Amino acid sequence: MVLGSMVICIALFLCVCLGKGLLLHWQYPNPKIQTYAYGETAQVGAFEITFFRWQWDDGSWIRNTFPDYAENEFHTSTGENIGEIRVGIIELQIQKVEESDTFFQVANIAFASGAWGNQFDMELFYKLNPDLSSMALDLEVGQTQKVVLPLVMRELQFTEKQWERIDDRVFYIDLKYYPEHIRFEIENK
């Protein structure tokens, strides 16, 4: 009798959980993915974003351009190298094309490749964009702002096998996730 009641309770609990999951999926379905390539323009709300510059290297450009940053970020406090790195420099042009009371939030941009995801380095972002005082771009219709985003990856973020193929991976610049997923594809070839 007790065993039968427990089985019924467990079955009821599983049905409720399954029902809630289906209800959530029905109310919030998977987003439609829109992928754009280098040189193309994507619209996110009242803004058009164009991906027009891509540079990929072993961190040499950052080491030469910002040696103090590289010394702090690419070495431990005792001066040891933290391992190999890869740096992508992405330049986007953001233009407000419609009248609205919204602003473009650069901090919402992220990077992804497979299960790996990350946001850009904020300190390096401001070094690359010295004319920006905020990540909230409050533009007028027709006004354009260029933004440089640093994608910094450290060897320790990946398995050895993944790192061996890091230069062959496809990365994405995620601009918006829901209700539609808008992204740029970055190929290292």
Side-chain angles (χ1 to χ4, degrees):
M1 178 75 175
V2 173
L3 183 60
S5 296
M6 282 180 52
V7 169
I8 291 172
C9 286
I10 290 171
L12 186 59
F13 175 75
L14 291 175
C15 286
V16 168
C17 289
L18 180 63
K20 282 192 168 252
L22 289 172
L23 180 64
L24 278 174
H25 182 70
W26 177 71
Q27 289 178 327
Y28 304 101
N30 290 335
K32 177 184 170 199
I33 299 175
Q34 295 180 23
T35 303
Y36 297 88
Y38 180 83
E40 293 184 328
T41 299
Q43 183 150 356
V44 177
F47 300 89
E48 285 186 348
I49 298 100
T50 304
F51 174 27
F52 71 92
R53 181 174 164 233
W54 167 243
Q55 177 183 329
W56 179 252
D57 72 18
D58 64 358
S60 300
W61 186 82
I62 295 294
R63 284 184 181 94
N64 293 332
T65 309
F66 304 109
D68 292 341
Y69 170 84
E71 185 62 33
N72 291 334
E73 292 297 316
F74 303 157
H75 297 86
T76 66
S77 59
T78 61
E80 292 179 71
N81 191 322
I82 63 166
E84 289 187 54
I85 64 160
R86 291 293 184 275
V87 177
I89 302 297
I90 297 116
E91 197 161 347
L92 303 176
Q93 179 174 290
I94 301 166
Q95 180 179 23
K96 190 167 189 177
V97 293
E98 296 175 7
E99 189 62 49
S100 76
D101 59 354
T102 61
F103 54 88
F104 188 82
Q105 184 54 266
V106 178
N108 289 340
I109 297 174
F111 304 105
S113 179
W116 177 86
N118 207 353
Q119 192 170 28
F120 52 86
D121 182 295
M122 299 294 177
E123 179 184 353
L124 190 51
F125 171 82
Y126 282 112
K127 287 182 178 294
L128 292 167
N129 299 281
D131 58 323
L132 292 180
S133 60
S134 170
M135 289 193 194
L137 302 181
D138 190 13
L139 305 174
E140 299 295 325
V141 174
Q143 188 177 2
T144 299
Q145 176 69 53
K146 289 182 182 177
V147 175
V148 181
L149 303 173
L151 168 58
V152 179
M153 289 171 286
R154 293 164 177 82
E155 183 179 8
L156 57 94
Q157 294 176 304
F158 298 88
T159 65
E160 185 178 330
K161 187 175 180 179
Q162 290 171 329
W163 189 256
E164 288 172 3
R165 298 183 46 89
I166 197 73
D167 295 324
D168 300 325
R169 288 182 80 132
V170 174
F171 292 91
Y172 295 95
I173 306 167
D174 291 318
L175 303 172
K176 181 180 174 185
Y177 289 105
Y178 207 81
E180 55 191 340
H181 186 168
I182 301 173
R183 66 189 186 178
F184 286 113
E185 183 176 305
I186 304 171
E187 291 192 48
N188 294 326
K189 297 178 180 168

PDB file of all heavy atoms in Angstrom, residues 56 84-86 113 116 153-155 157-171 188:
ATOM      1  N   TRP A  56      43.686  38.187 -35.907  1.00  0.00           N
ATOM      2  CA  TRP A  56      43.882  37.026 -35.036  1.00  0.00           C
ATOM      3  C   TRP A  56      45.367  36.771 -34.905  1.00  0.00           C
ATOM      4  O   TRP A  56      46.065  36.639 -35.912  1.00  0.00           O
ATOM      5  CB  TRP A  56      43.180  35.825 -35.675  1.00  0.00           C
ATOM      6  CG  TRP A  56      43.268  34.519 -34.969  1.00  0.00           C
ATOM      7  CD1 TRP A  56      43.998  33.438 -35.358  1.00  0.00           C
ATOM      8  CD2 TRP A  56      42.583  34.126 -33.789  1.00  0.00           C
ATOM      9  NE1 TRP A  56      43.803  32.401 -34.500  1.00  0.00           N
ATOM     10  CE2 TRP A  56      42.937  32.792 -33.521  1.00  0.00           C
ATOM     11  CE3 TRP A  56      41.710  34.769 -32.925  1.00  0.00           C
ATOM     12  CZ2 TRP A  56      42.448  32.097 -32.422  1.00  0.00           C
ATOM     13  CZ3 TRP A  56      41.220  34.074 -31.836  1.00  0.00           C
ATOM     14  CH2 TRP A  56      41.580  32.755 -31.601  1.00  0.00           C
ATOM     15  N   GLU A  84      50.257  29.775 -23.492  1.00  0.00           N
ATOM     16  CA  GLU A  84      49.960  30.414 -24.769  1.00  0.00           C
ATOM     17  C   GLU A  84      48.645  31.179 -24.691  1.00  0.00           C
ATOM     18  O   GLU A  84      47.773  30.853 -23.896  1.00  0.00           O
ATOM     19  CB  GLU A  84      49.854  29.361 -25.872  1.00  0.00           C
ATOM     20  CG  GLU A  84      51.178  28.746 -26.256  1.00  0.00           C
ATOM     21  CD  GLU A  84      51.016  27.851 -27.463  1.00  0.00           C
ATOM     22  OE1 GLU A  84      50.491  28.335 -28.493  1.00  0.00           O
ATOM     23  OE2 GLU A  84      51.406  26.683 -27.366  1.00  0.00           O
ATOM     24  N   ILE A  85      48.546  32.174 -25.537  1.00  0.00           N
ATOM     25  CA  ILE A  85      47.296  32.925 -25.657  1.00  0.00           C
ATOM     26  C   ILE A  85      46.993  33.141 -27.127  1.00  0.00           C
ATOM     27  O   ILE A  85      47.868  33.007 -27.986  1.00  0.00           O
ATOM     28  CB  ILE A  85      47.344  34.292 -24.938  1.00  0.00           C
ATOM     29  CG1 ILE A  85      48.388  35.204 -25.586  1.00  0.00           C
ATOM     30  CG2 ILE A  85      47.580  34.152 -23.466  1.00  0.00           C
ATOM     31  CD1 ILE A  85      48.166  36.643 -25.271  1.00  0.00           C
ATOM     32  N   ARG A  86      45.746  33.477 -27.393  1.00  0.00           N
ATOM     33  CA  ARG A  86      45.327  33.933 -28.707  1.00  0.00           C
ATOM     34  C   ARG A  86      44.497  35.182 -28.478  1.00  0.00           C
ATOM     35  O   ARG A  86      43.728  35.268 -27.511  1.00  0.00           O
ATOM     36  CB  ARG A  86      44.466  32.903 -29.447  1.00  0.00           C
ATOM     37  CG  ARG A  86      45.193  31.672 -29.874  1.00  0.00           C
ATOM     38  CD  ARG A  86      46.224  31.986 -30.963  1.00  0.00           C
ATOM     39  NE  ARG A  86      46.860  30.778 -31.437  1.00  0.00           N
ATOM     40  CZ  ARG A  86      47.908  30.186 -30.875  1.00  0.00           C
ATOM     41  NH1 ARG A  86      48.450  30.697 -29.789  1.00  0.00           N
ATOM     42  NH2 ARG A  86      48.414  29.098 -31.396  1.00  0.00           N
ATOM     43  N   SER A 113      32.178  29.594 -28.854  1.00  0.00           N
ATOM     44  CA  SER A 113      32.671  28.572 -29.780  1.00  0.00           C
ATOM     45  C   SER A 113      32.379  27.233 -29.130  1.00  0.00           C
ATOM     46  O   SER A 113      32.997  26.882 -28.124  1.00  0.00           O
ATOM     47  CB  SER A 113      34.162  28.721 -30.030  1.00  0.00           C
ATOM     48  OG  SER A 113      34.609  27.704 -30.900  1.00  0.00           O
ATOM     49  N   TRP A 116      32.324  26.715 -25.240  1.00  0.00           N
ATOM     50  CA  TRP A 116      33.105  27.799 -24.661  1.00  0.00           C
ATOM     51  C   TRP A 116      32.409  29.128 -24.923  1.00  0.00           C
ATOM     52  O   TRP A 116      31.891  29.383 -26.000  1.00  0.00           O
ATOM     53  CB  TRP A 116      34.505  27.829 -25.281  1.00  0.00           C
ATOM     54  CG  TRP A 116      35.356  28.954 -24.789  1.00  0.00           C
ATOM     55  CD1 TRP A 116      36.137  28.961 -23.675  1.00  0.00           C
ATOM     56  CD2 TRP A 116      35.516  30.244 -25.389  1.00  0.00           C
ATOM     57  NE1 TRP A 116      36.775  30.172 -23.544  1.00  0.00           N
ATOM     58  CE2 TRP A 116      36.405  30.986 -24.587  1.00  0.00           C
ATOM     59  CE3 TRP A 116      34.990  30.852 -26.515  1.00  0.00           C
ATOM     60  CZ2 TRP A 116      36.788  32.284 -24.879  1.00  0.00           C
ATOM     61  CZ3 TRP A 116      35.370  32.147 -26.797  1.00  0.00           C
ATOM     62  CH2 TRP A 116      36.256  32.841 -25.993  1.00  0.00           C
ATOM     63  N   MET A 153      41.944  34.710 -25.337  1.00  0.00           N
ATOM     64  CA  MET A 153      41.802  33.328 -24.891  1.00  0.00           C
ATOM     65  C   MET A 153      43.125  32.827 -24.363  1.00  0.00           C
ATOM     66  O   MET A 153      44.172  33.060 -24.981  1.00  0.00           O
ATOM     67  CB  MET A 153      41.340  32.444 -26.041  1.00  0.00           C
ATOM     68  CG  MET A 153      39.917  32.694 -26.415  1.00  0.00           C
ATOM     69  SD  MET A 153      39.485  31.845 -27.896  1.00  0.00           S
ATOM     70  CE  MET A 153      40.329  32.869 -29.071  1.00  0.00           C
ATOM     71  N   ARG A 154      43.051  32.160 -23.238  1.00  0.00           N
ATOM     72  CA  ARG A 154      44.242  31.598 -22.614  1.00  0.00           C
ATOM     73  C   ARG A 154      44.206  30.077 -22.755  1.00  0.00           C
ATOM     74  O   ARG A 154      43.145  29.473 -22.680  1.00  0.00           O
ATOM     75  CB  ARG A 154      44.289  32.003 -21.157  1.00  0.00           C
ATOM     76  CG  ARG A 154      44.509  33.489 -20.980  1.00  0.00           C
ATOM     77  CD  ARG A 154      44.161  33.951 -19.562  1.00  0.00           C
ATOM     78  NE  ARG A 154      44.443  35.362 -19.384  1.00  0.00           N
ATOM     79  CZ  ARG A 154      43.619  36.337 -19.759  1.00  0.00           C
ATOM     80  NH1 ARG A 154      42.465  36.063 -20.314  1.00  0.00           N
ATOM     81  NH2 ARG A 154      43.945  37.604 -19.567  1.00  0.00           N
ATOM     82  N   GLU A 155      45.368  29.499 -22.908  1.00  0.00           N
ATOM     83  CA  GLU A 155      45.487  28.053 -23.074  1.00  0.00           C
ATOM     84  C   GLU A 155      44.790  27.305 -21.938  1.00  0.00           C
ATOM     85  O   GLU A 155      44.153  26.276 -22.160  1.00  0.00           O
ATOM     86  CB  GLU A 155      46.971  27.694 -23.127  1.00  0.00           C
ATOM     87  CG  GLU A 155      47.274  26.254 -23.355  1.00  0.00           C
ATOM     88  CD  GLU A 155      48.773  26.002 -23.417  1.00  0.00           C
ATOM     89  OE1 GLU A 155      49.578  26.903 -23.133  1.00  0.00           O
ATOM     90  OE2 GLU A 155      49.120  24.861 -23.758  1.00  0.00           O
ATOM     91  N   GLN A 157      42.095  27.784 -20.529  1.00  0.00           N
ATOM     92  CA  GLN A 157      40.641  27.717 -20.659  1.00  0.00           C
ATOM     93  C   GLN A 157      40.187  26.511 -21.478  1.00  0.00           C
ATOM     94  O   GLN A 157      38.995  26.250 -21.560  1.00  0.00           O
ATOM     95  CB  GLN A 157      40.103  28.985 -21.342  1.00  0.00           C
ATOM     96  CG  GLN A 157      40.277  30.241 -20.531  1.00  0.00           C
ATOM     97  CD  GLN A 157      39.821  31.458 -21.312  1.00  0.00           C
ATOM     98  OE1 GLN A 157      40.296  31.718 -22.416  1.00  0.00           O
ATOM     99  NE2 GLN A 157      38.893  32.206 -20.740  1.00  0.00           N
ATOM    100  N   PHE A 158      41.118  25.787 -22.098  1.00  0.00           N
ATOM    101  CA  PHE A 158      40.784  24.702 -23.004  1.00  0.00           C
ATOM    102  C   PHE A 158      41.570  23.451 -22.643  1.00  0.00           C
ATOM    103  O   PHE A 158      42.618  23.528 -22.013  1.00  0.00           O
ATOM    104  CB  PHE A 158      41.126  25.102 -24.453  1.00  0.00           C
ATOM    105  CG  PHE A 158      40.352  26.284 -24.948  1.00  0.00           C
ATOM    106  CD1 PHE A 158      40.818  27.576 -24.744  1.00  0.00           C
ATOM    107  CD2 PHE A 158      39.147  26.117 -25.610  1.00  0.00           C
ATOM    108  CE1 PHE A 158      40.112  28.673 -25.189  1.00  0.00           C
ATOM    109  CE2 PHE A 158      38.421  27.199 -26.063  1.00  0.00           C
ATOM    110  CZ  PHE A 158      38.893  28.483 -25.852  1.00  0.00           C
ATOM    111  N   THR A 159      41.070  22.311 -23.085  1.00  0.00           N
ATOM    112  CA  THR A 159      41.846  21.083 -22.924  1.00  0.00           C
ATOM    113  C   THR A 159      43.021  21.151 -23.902  1.00  0.00           C
ATOM    114  O   THR A 159      43.020  21.952 -24.844  1.00  0.00           O
ATOM    115  CB  THR A 159      40.995  19.836 -23.253  1.00  0.00           C
ATOM    116  OG1 THR A 159      40.652  19.857 -24.638  1.00  0.00           O
ATOM    117  CG2 THR A 159      39.748  19.760 -22.383  1.00  0.00           C
ATOM    118  N   GLU A 160      43.992  20.286 -23.692  1.00  0.00           N
ATOM    119  CA  GLU A 160      45.168  20.275 -24.572  1.00  0.00           C
ATOM    120  C   GLU A 160      44.767  20.007 -26.021  1.00  0.00           C
ATOM    121  O   GLU A 160      45.250  20.662 -26.946  1.00  0.00           O
ATOM    122  CB  GLU A 160      46.156  19.206 -24.084  1.00  0.00           C
ATOM    123  CG  GLU A 160      47.456  19.182 -24.858  1.00  0.00           C
ATOM    124  CD  GLU A 160      48.432  18.153 -24.312  1.00  0.00           C
ATOM    125  OE1 GLU A 160      48.400  17.878 -23.096  1.00  0.00           O
ATOM    126  OE2 GLU A 160      49.219  17.632 -25.124  1.00  0.00           O
ATOM    127  N   LYS A 161      43.861  19.072 -26.219  1.00  0.00           N
ATOM    128  CA  LYS A 161      43.411  18.728 -27.569  1.00  0.00           C
ATOM    129  C   LYS A 161      42.665  19.898 -28.221  1.00  0.00           C
ATOM    130  O   LYS A 161      42.868  20.186 -29.401  1.00  0.00           O
ATOM    131  CB  LYS A 161      42.508  17.492 -27.513  1.00  0.00           C
ATOM    132  CG  LYS A 161      42.118  16.953 -28.850  1.00  0.00           C
ATOM    133  CD  LYS A 161      41.321  15.663 -28.705  1.00  0.00           C
ATOM    134  CE  LYS A 161      40.929  15.139 -30.067  1.00  0.00           C
ATOM    135  NZ  LYS A 161      40.183  13.889 -29.987  1.00  0.00           N
ATOM    136  N   GLN A 162      41.828  20.585 -27.448  1.00  0.00           N
ATOM    137  CA  GLN A 162      41.112  21.742 -27.980  1.00  0.00           C
ATOM    138  C   GLN A 162      42.081  22.860 -28.356  1.00  0.00           C
ATOM    139  O   GLN A 162      41.925  23.509 -29.384  1.00  0.00           O
ATOM    140  CB  GLN A 162      40.096  22.270 -26.958  1.00  0.00           C
ATOM    141  CG  GLN A 162      38.913  21.379 -26.732  1.00  0.00           C
ATOM    142  CD  GLN A 162      38.066  21.840 -25.559  1.00  0.00           C
ATOM    143  OE1 GLN A 162      38.556  22.420 -24.589  1.00  0.00           O
ATOM    144  NE2 GLN A 162      36.774  21.582 -25.652  1.00  0.00           N
ATOM    145  N   TRP A 163      43.079  23.092 -27.496  1.00  0.00           N
ATOM    146  CA  TRP A 163      44.026  24.172 -27.753  1.00  0.00           C
ATOM    147  C   TRP A 163      44.855  23.901 -29.005  1.00  0.00           C
ATOM    148  O   TRP A 163      45.187  24.818 -29.756  1.00  0.00           O
ATOM    149  CB  TRP A 163      44.933  24.404 -26.549  1.00  0.00           C
ATOM    150  CG  TRP A 163      45.748  25.636 -26.721  1.00  0.00           C
ATOM    151  CD1 TRP A 163      47.068  25.705 -27.047  1.00  0.00           C
ATOM    152  CD2 TRP A 163      45.291  26.994 -26.641  1.00  0.00           C
ATOM    153  NE1 TRP A 163      47.468  27.014 -27.164  1.00  0.00           N
ATOM    154  CE2 TRP A 163      46.396  27.824 -26.912  1.00  0.00           C
ATOM    155  CE3 TRP A 163      44.070  27.579 -26.359  1.00  0.00           C
ATOM    156  CZ2 TRP A 163      46.302  29.217 -26.912  1.00  0.00           C
ATOM    157  CZ3 TRP A 163      43.984  28.965 -26.346  1.00  0.00           C
ATOM    158  CH2 TRP A 163      45.094  29.760 -26.626  1.00  0.00           C
ATOM    159  N   GLU A 164      45.183  22.638 -29.259  1.00  0.00           N
ATOM    160  CA  GLU A 164      45.950  22.289 -30.455  1.00  0.00           C
ATOM    161  C   GLU A 164      45.227  22.708 -31.724  1.00  0.00           C
ATOM    162  O   GLU A 164      45.856  22.985 -32.742  1.00  0.00           O
ATOM    163  CB  GLU A 164      46.219  20.780 -30.486  1.00  0.00           C
ATOM    164  CG  GLU A 164      47.228  20.318 -29.467  1.00  0.00           C
ATOM    165  CD  GLU A 164      47.328  18.797 -29.390  1.00  0.00           C
ATOM    166  OE1 GLU A 164      46.651  18.086 -30.183  1.00  0.00           O
ATOM    167  OE2 GLU A 164      48.080  18.317 -28.527  1.00  0.00           O
ATOM    168  N   ARG A 165      43.883  22.775 -31.666  1.00  0.00           N
ATOM    169  CA  ARG A 165      43.087  23.120 -32.847  1.00  0.00           C
ATOM    170  C   ARG A 165      42.430  24.496 -32.701  1.00  0.00           C
ATOM    171  O   ARG A 165      41.501  24.820 -33.436  1.00  0.00           O
ATOM    172  CB  ARG A 165      42.028  22.046 -33.079  1.00  0.00           C
ATOM    173  CG  ARG A 165      42.644  20.668 -33.353  1.00  0.00           C
ATOM    174  CD  ARG A 165      41.595  19.614 -33.649  1.00  0.00           C
ATOM    175  NE  ARG A 165      40.591  20.044 -34.590  1.00  0.00           N
ATOM    176  CZ  ARG A 165      40.667  19.927 -35.913  1.00  0.00           C
ATOM    177  NH1 ARG A 165      41.709  19.374 -36.454  1.00  0.00           N
ATOM    178  NH2 ARG A 165      39.684  20.352 -36.690  1.00  0.00           N
ATOM    179  N   ILE A 166      42.931  25.308 -31.777  1.00  0.00           N
ATOM    180  CA  ILE A 166      42.285  26.598 -31.492  1.00  0.00           C
ATOM    181  C   ILE A 166      42.227  27.500 -32.725  1.00  0.00           C
ATOM    182  O   ILE A 166      41.261  28.235 -32.929  1.00  0.00           O
ATOM    183  CB  ILE A 166      42.958  27.327 -30.299  1.00  0.00           C
ATOM    184  CG1 ILE A 166      42.053  28.421 -29.743  1.00  0.00           C
ATOM    185  CG2 ILE A 166      44.313  27.900 -30.659  1.00  0.00           C
ATOM    186  CD1 ILE A 166      40.898  27.922 -28.965  1.00  0.00           C
ATOM    187  N   ASP A 167      43.249  27.442 -33.553  1.00  0.00           N
ATOM    188  CA  ASP A 167      43.288  28.305 -34.734  1.00  0.00           C
ATOM    189  C   ASP A 167      42.335  27.845 -35.837  1.00  0.00           C
ATOM    190  O   ASP A 167      42.120  28.572 -36.804  1.00  0.00           O
ATOM    191  CB  ASP A 167      44.721  28.398 -35.272  1.00  0.00           C
ATOM    192  CG  ASP A 167      45.656  29.079 -34.286  1.00  0.00           C
ATOM    193  OD1 ASP A 167      45.216  30.019 -33.601  1.00  0.00           O
ATOM    194  OD2 ASP A 167      46.817  28.656 -34.180  1.00  0.00           O
ATOM    195  N   ASP A 168      41.782  26.654 -35.694  1.00  0.00           N
ATOM    196  CA  ASP A 168      40.837  26.123 -36.684  1.00  0.00           C
ATOM    197  C   ASP A 168      39.382  26.272 -36.241  1.00  0.00           C
ATOM    198  O   ASP A 168      38.477  25.953 -37.014  1.00  0.00           O
ATOM    199  CB  ASP A 168      41.115  24.635 -36.937  1.00  0.00           C
ATOM    200  CG  ASP A 168      42.517  24.394 -37.473  1.00  0.00           C
ATOM    201  OD1 ASP A 168      43.010  25.245 -38.238  1.00  0.00           O
ATOM    202  OD2 ASP A 168      43.120  23.373 -37.109  1.00  0.00           O
ATOM    203  N   ARG A 169      39.163  26.701 -35.010  1.00  0.00           N
ATOM    204  CA  ARG A 169      37.794  26.793 -34.482  1.00  0.00           C
ATOM    205  C   ARG A 169      37.031  27.957 -35.103  1.00  0.00           C
ATOM    206  O   ARG A 169      37.615  28.971 -35.483  1.00  0.00           O
ATOM    207  CB  ARG A 169      37.825  26.999 -32.964  1.00  0.00           C
ATOM    208  CG  ARG A 169      38.233  25.776 -32.201  1.00  0.00           C
ATOM    209  CD  ARG A 169      38.197  26.043 -30.723  1.00  0.00           C
ATOM    210  NE  ARG A 169      36.828  25.963 -30.242  1.00  0.00           N
ATOM    211  CZ  ARG A 169      36.468  25.278 -29.174  1.00  0.00           C
ATOM    212  NH1 ARG A 169      37.365  24.638 -28.460  1.00  0.00           N
ATOM    213  NH2 ARG A 169      35.218  25.253 -28.791  1.00  0.00           N
ATOM    214  N   VAL A 170      35.733  27.792 -35.159  1.00  0.00           N
ATOM    215  CA  VAL A 170      34.847  28.871 -35.588  1.00  0.00           C
ATOM    216  C   VAL A 170      34.329  29.545 -34.323  1.00  0.00           C
ATOM    217  O   VAL A 170      33.869  28.879 -33.393  1.00  0.00           O
ATOM    218  CB  VAL A 170      33.668  28.330 -36.431  1.00  0.00           C
ATOM    219  CG1 VAL A 170      32.680  29.435 -36.746  1.00  0.00           C
ATOM    220  CG2 VAL A 170      34.191  27.690 -37.702  1.00  0.00           C
ATOM    221  N   PHE A 171      34.432  30.853 -34.270  1.00  0.00           N
ATOM    222  CA  PHE A 171      33.939  31.630 -33.136  1.00  0.00           C
ATOM    223  C   PHE A 171      32.769  32.487 -33.579  1.00  0.00           C
ATOM    224  O   PHE A 171      32.617  32.784 -34.764  1.00  0.00           O
ATOM    225  CB  PHE A 171      35.063  32.523 -32.571  1.00  0.00           C
ATOM    226  CG  PHE A 171      36.153  31.744 -31.912  1.00  0.00           C
ATOM    227  CD1 PHE A 171      37.251  31.316 -32.625  1.00  0.00           C
ATOM    228  CD2 PHE A 171      36.070  31.430 -30.568  1.00  0.00           C
ATOM    229  CE1 PHE A 171      38.252  30.580 -32.030  1.00  0.00           C
ATOM    230  CE2 PHE A 171      37.063  30.695 -29.954  1.00  0.00           C
ATOM    231  CZ  PHE A 171      38.159  30.272 -30.683  1.00  0.00           C
ATOM    232  N   ASN A 188      38.839  31.657 -38.803  1.00  0.00           N
ATOM    233  CA  ASN A 188      40.267  31.955 -38.692  1.00  0.00           C
ATOM    234  C   ASN A 188      41.059  31.493 -39.894  1.00  0.00           C
ATOM    235  O   ASN A 188      42.249  31.307 -39.798  1.00  0.00           O
ATOM    236  CB  ASN A 188      40.832  31.306 -37.433  1.00  0.00           C
ATOM    237  CG  ASN A 188      40.255  31.928 -36.211  1.00  0.00           C
ATOM    238  OD1 ASN A 188      39.967  33.115 -36.189  1.00  0.00           O
ATOM    239  ND2 ASN A 188      40.029  31.140 -35.180  1.00  0.00           N
TER     240      ASN A 188
END
